[in-house]
Amino acid sequence: MSLYVEELGELVEVQEGKTRVLVPNLEKYKVEKKIEPAHAPVFYNPAMEVNRSISVLAIETYRRMFDLKTLTICEPLAGTGVRGLRYVNEINSVSKVILNDIDDRAYKLIRLNVEHLSVSDKVDVYKEDASALLLTIRSKYIIDVVDIDPFGSPIPFIHAALRAVRHLGLLCVTATDVGVLVGRYPHKCIRRYGAKPIRAVPFSKEIGLRILIGTIARIALEFDYGVKPLLAYYEGHYYRAFLLVGKDTADARECVENLGFLIYNPEDGSRTFVRTYPVAPGSGAYGPMWIGKLIDPEFARELSRVLEEYDYLKSNRKVSELVQLFREEAYLSNVVYMTSSEVCRGLGSEISASTIVSLLRELGHDACRTHFDKRAFRTTLSLSEVRKIVSLYRS
Ligand SMILES: C[S@@+](CC[C@H](N)C(=O)[O-])C[C@H]1O[C@@H](n2cnc3c(N)ncnc32)[C@H](O)[C@@H]1O
């Protein structure tokens, strides 16, 4: 199906999950045969479908864990509306979704999609600045979930999002400025996130995610709130975090306990977290950052149970693989991963991360794969201890 709409150009119907929405025909916005979603009149990125599918599962998991009978979700940077409309269509007990976009054409398309799906009783649509909306709608709705899915960094919207979401609500955040967070532009990271990133090490990707969460945690602490990751992950070109927001002083106290710095010693490859926040422990320190778990084990278990009930998402290989890995690595998600190439350097040919994990487990050590990198794994042992075990195994 396709139709032409004034200002929006040619629209086509696409299906994501169980939801059919109208989006700009991206075939018309190709540059050198590559789709450029940012060139379309309204932003729609098909590469974010996995992000949206995992979000459906994560919000449903949150709803079940907190036994919520109704759910009010606000998506203040909604683009075509596809994300929020998937929530209406695919998550149990969603009573209200508030969709907003500052752009005229996005607003028009969201309203068209609401009509297209016949969900106007459950969806309210606004055309305001995201932060202004978040700060004002608190008097009208009790918001269980705020989903911040912007271009680039989410930080400009975090203050207002934290204000808007209720105590023990869920803050969902996407960051696509991965290059900044992994230290490719260190000065930008210092400006935007107030943290020193670590560049060009095999585990930069994990540290980038920890800096993102650490910055959100420090903003929460300004209000004496706390955040706790239920699930935080990396995929391809973005970070995504689902954070529980607690508004009691006890939540803020627990949150600050999970801030710290990374000390990296390139000589022996050791990577250690220290809880000296707010004082950096020395010149070899990176951060500040979140040093606690990135994935809550109970949440990851429930997430995989939820996936079992979503056949159409379970059949997506990437989604299933991620959910499985989140479950495997949750209990060790407070130790930084290492890669098989770091372990095997100078020991002859490389053996796979899965083989190393099996070997360590056979010897009774804690070890698991990680979703960050298929050549990486987590263990409580140090790099030199793992190297010793691997070299004995090979001889
Ligand atoms: C990455 S897109 C959103 C994609 C959408 N969440 C999805 O899953 O398809 C970001 C959107 O934010 C909107 N936007 C940018 N700045 C804004 C602001 N200050 N207030 C509200 N919307 C804004 C843009 O018009 C754009 O549609």
Side-chain angles (χ1 to χ4, degrees), residues 237-365:
H237 73 290
Y238 69 89
Y239 289 124
R240 182 81 168 145
F242 299 90
L243 307 169
L244 188 65
V245 179
K247 298 197 169 183
D248 282 342
T249 310
D251 300 312
R253 273 201 217 107
E254 190 184 328
C255 180
V256 82
E257 288 290 307
N258 284 290
L259 290 178
F261 293 84
L262 171 83
I263 308 265
Y264 176 55
N265 180 351
E267 308 269 290
D268 63 4
S270 63
R271 52 214 73 176
T272 317
F273 287 138
V274 287
R275 287 177 205 279
T276 57
Y277 179 79
V279 182
S283 57
Y286 300 88
M289 66 184 74
W290 182 264
I291 60 171
K293 285 200 169 79
L294 292 174
I295 305 172
D296 178 74
E298 195 191 333
F299 188 84
R301 260 194 309 276
E302 188 62 33
L303 184 75
S304 53
R305 277 195 284 264
V306 167
L307 180 65
E308 290 304 313
E309 294 171 30
Y310 278 77
D311 290 346
Y312 65 96
L313 296 181
K314 198 178 167 204
S315 61
N316 180 308
R317 196 175 51 86
K318 186 75 205 170
V319 171
S320 288
E321 237 174 57
L322 282 171
V323 171
Q324 170 66 28
L325 286 167
F326 298 154
R327 187 170 176 179
E328 279 182 36
E329 71 179 305
Y331 83 114
L332 283 180
S333 65
N334 55 341
V335 292
V336 183
Y337 69 77
M338 53 185 85
T339 60
S340 51
S341 53
E342 286 180 283
V343 172
C344 299
R345 196 166 299 142
L347 301 180
S349 62
E350 197 172 316
I351 57 174
S352 73
S354 316
T355 308
I356 299 175
V357 167
S358 309
L359 176 62
L360 297 181
R361 284 207 187 141
E362 271 166 35
L363 296 170
H365 300 294

Side-chain angles (χ1 to χ4, degrees), residues 42-45 48 52 75-83 100-103 106 128-131 149-151 157:
V42 181
F43 186 86
Y44 170 69
N45 188 357
M48 281 297 204
R52 289 183 280 265
E75 197 206 352
L77 302 129
T80 59
V82 56
R83 177 180 296 270
N100 174 74
D101 202 289
I102 200 166
D103 182 79
E128 288 188 36
D129 170 70
S131 297
D149 182 57
F151 294 132
F157 306 104

